[in-house]
């Protein structure tokens, strides 16, 4: 809409990505703040709450009855903000919208399965969820290939492409998107734990896609310059705005959970934005908390399968600290601090050659 004002009403201000990204941020924030109370009222009337995992720490029983699927609100708010502010003929924006839609639909299906069961928190089977994630990733990656997105691999601290992955980039990008979406999903276990690191990651990646699409800044920082990627920063900015509003309701003690509807959409878009910005490896630092949570599960499962011994008291690792007696708020804030530091390090690396 705002780009239409620029094109047809000669309002020059709206040509700038930074202005439209700021507008998208505040629109998504306002939409989420307005719609969430209405959603909570509806969810409570329908008893749309997720059953608590049987093996979760005892303190989680206090969360029984908390509405889930709050991700539905901030995903909807994000999409509306994007439609109002971004250039919808931009292939990277189209890919971003497609990513949000496809991964949130998987989450909706999973959340509805959990809610309807009323007895267990399993939802979709792991195989079915993985299959849907791979198919969704392939669809989005098909958009990138159609756009002729570069297939070179870049690594931090080295300003030249390591090598051209060619068609191998398809498998690599699928891995990035599927890994990212599952990592965020595993992190979403405490009030606000996944929300703030996601906000920080979207800030870093929005900055990266903007730089990648800006010829002068990317040249100064010796980073790849890919035309039209800057518009994707509007998508990341909109998601940041909606998540900050969601945090108002999701902070401890949470009034609502995002559910898989939110966490899968967040993870999918983080992976997509990292691919567009040629920062797939740097995503390990940007999303370090998500990586930590995912790796803790992999190590726990692998150790128990082959050694019949557990490394952690419980996985993901935030449950380990709960079992050790840490208060939930302490775990959450400390993880936020780690996320802030690793994102800062990721951004500092842009200038280091």
């Amino acid at each position: 809409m705002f780009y239409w004002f620029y094109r047809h009403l000669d309002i020059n201000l709206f040509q700038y990505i930074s202005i439209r990204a700021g507008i998208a941020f505040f629109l998504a924030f306002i939409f989420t703040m307005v719609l969430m109370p209405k959603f909570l009222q509806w969810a409570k009337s329908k008893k749309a709450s997720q059953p608590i995992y049987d093996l979760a720490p005892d303190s989680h029983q206090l969360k029984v009855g908390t509405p889930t699927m709050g991700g539905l609100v901030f995903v909807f708010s994000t999409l509306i903000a994007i439609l109002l502010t971004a250039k919808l003929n931009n292939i990277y924006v189209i890919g971003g919208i497609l990513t949000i839609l496809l991964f949130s639909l998987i989450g909706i299906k999973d959340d509805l399965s959990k809610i309807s069961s009323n007895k267990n928190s399993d939802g979709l089977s792991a195989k079915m969820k993985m299959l849907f994630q791979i198919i969704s990733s392939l669809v989005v990656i098909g958009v990138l290939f159609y756009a002729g997105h570069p297939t070179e691999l870049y690594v931090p601290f080295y300003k030249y492409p390591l090598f051209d992955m060619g068609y191998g980039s398809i498998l690599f990008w699928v891995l990035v998107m599927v890994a990212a979406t599952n990592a965020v999903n595993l992190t979403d276990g405490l009030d606000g734990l996944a929300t703030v690191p996601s906000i920080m990651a979207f800030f870093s990646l929005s900055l990266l896609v903007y730089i990648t699409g800006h010829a002068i800044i990317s040249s100064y920082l010796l980073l790849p310059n890919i035309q039209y990627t800057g518009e994707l920063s509007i998508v990341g900015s909109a998601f940041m705005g909606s998540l900050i509003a969601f945090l108002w309701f999701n902070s401890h003690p949470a009034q609502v959970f995002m559910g898989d509807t939110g966490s899968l959409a967040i993870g999918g878009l983080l992976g997509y934005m990292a691919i567009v910005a040629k920062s797939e490896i740097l995503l390990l630092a940007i999303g370090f908390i998500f990586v930590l949570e995912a790796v803790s599960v992999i190590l726990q499962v692998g150790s128990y399968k082959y050694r019949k011994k557990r490394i952690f008291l419980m996985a993901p690792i935030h449950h380990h600290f709960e079992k050790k007696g840490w208060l939930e708020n302490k775990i959450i804030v400390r993880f936020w601090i780690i996320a802030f530091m690793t994102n800062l390090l990721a951004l500092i690396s842009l200038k280091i050659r």
Side-chain angles (χ1 to χ4, degrees):
M1 181 180 78
F2 291 97
Y3 183 66
W4 183 89
F5 286 155
Y6 159 61
R7 287 290 301 274
H8 299 280
L9 300 183
D10 198 29
I11 301 178
N12 194 51
L13 185 67
F14 295 132
Q15 71 170 304
Y16 298 109
I17 291 174
S18 56
I19 295 296
R20 288 183 287 119
I23 294 170
F25 175 94
F26 283 106
L27 284 176
F29 176 85
I30 292 167
F31 291 153
T32 304
M33 289 296 291
V34 171
L35 294 174
M36 189 61 77
K38 301 180 186 300
F39 172 81
L40 289 176
Q41 187 177 13
W42 172 84
K44 288 175 182 177
S45 68
K46 299 297 182 181
K47 297 182 178 179
S49 58
Q50 178 181 325
I52 302 300
Y53 182 44
D54 293 337
L55 300 178
D58 294 339
S59 60
H60 284 236
Q61 296 307 314
L62 298 174
K63 303 174 187 286
V64 171
T66 304
T68 189
M69 282 186 75
L72 197 62
V73 176
F74 66 69
V75 164
F76 175 78
S77 299
T78 298
L79 289 172
I80 296 300
I82 293 167
L83 294 175
L84 291 174
T85 55
K87 296 179 184 178
L88 300 181
N89 62 346
N90 182 289
I91 197 70
Y92 293 109
V93 171
I94 292 171
I97 293 172
L98 197 57
T99 300
I100 295 169
L101 283 172
L102 290 173
F103 281 89
S104 62
L105 284 173
I106 299 170
I108 289 170
K109 174 62 177 174
D110 193 41
D111 285 336
L112 289 176
S113 299
K114 294 174 183 177
I115 292 169
S116 62
S117 71
N118 289 321
K119 293 181 180 179
N120 65 74
S121 58
D122 292 340
L124 286 174
S125 68
K127 288 182 179 179
M128 285 302 298
K129 190 186 291 188
M130 182 66 72
L131 177 61
F132 289 146
Q133 290 171 358
I134 291 172
I135 292 172
S136 298
S137 298
L138 285 170
V139 171
V140 173
I141 286 164
V143 172
L144 287 182
F145 264 85
Y146 172 78
H149 190 65
T151 56
E152 292 88 359
L153 178 67
Y154 287 80
V155 296
F157 309 113
Y158 188 67
K159 300 299 184 178
Y160 305 98
L162 203 60
F163 57 87
D164 191 338
M165 296 181 288
Y167 286 104
S169 60
I170 296 174
L171 294 176
F172 180 59
W173 290 347
V174 167
L175 176 63
V176 170
M177 292 189 70
V178 171
T181 196
N182 282 293
V184 175
N185 187 230
L186 288 169
T187 306
D188 183 34
L190 299 179
D191 301 345
L193 180 61
T195 308
V196 172
S198 296
I199 294 167
M200 294 176 186
F202 276 126
F203 175 81
S204 297
L205 288 168
S206 295
L207 189 60
L208 281 166
V209 293
Y210 180 81
I211 291 171
T212 303
H214 197 291
I216 297 174
I217 302 177
S218 60
S219 175
Y220 172 71
L221 293 173
L222 300 177
L223 295 174
N225 175 230
I226 306 170
Q227 201 172 15
Y228 308 124
T229 63
E231 196 74 14
L232 186 58
S233 62
I234 295 172
V235 177
S237 182
F239 226 130
M240 284 171 57
S242 63
L243 281 175
I244 289 174
F246 175 70
L247 185 63
W248 185 274
F249 304 94
N250 184 234
S251 56
H252 185 72
Q255 296 172 257
V256 62
F257 301 139
M258 68 171 69
D260 284 14
T261 304
S263 62
L264 295 184
I266 290 170
L269 186 60
L270 289 178
Y272 173 76
M273 291 182 71
I275 291 166
V276 170
K278 306 307 297 174
S279 300
E280 301 96 334
I281 306 300
L282 196 60
L283 184 61
L284 294 173
I286 292 170
F288 180 77
I289 287 298
F290 308 131
V291 174
L292 181 66
E293 296 275 15
V295 169
S296 70
V297 172
I298 293 169
L299 290 175
Q300 184 85 325
V301 172
S303 178
Y304 190 77
K305 182 177 180 180
Y306 295 106
R307 299 169 59 239
K308 302 302 179 185
K309 293 181 180 179
R310 291 181 173 86
I311 298 174
F312 306 103
L313 297 176
M314 188 175 180
I317 198 168
H318 60 260
H319 288 320
H320 170 79
F321 292 115
E322 283 188 286
K323 291 285 190 180
K324 286 178 71 68
W326 288 24
L327 294 176
E328 183 169 345
N329 258 353
K330 187 177 289 291
I331 299 168
I332 294 166
V333 173
R334 286 180 173 175
F335 275 45
W336 289 354
I337 292 170
I338 295 170
F340 175 79
M341 297 304 293
T342 56
N343 273 268
L344 186 60
L345 288 171
L347 294 177
I348 289 173
S349 74
L350 299 181
K351 193 67 179 88
I352 300 174
R353 182 174 180 177

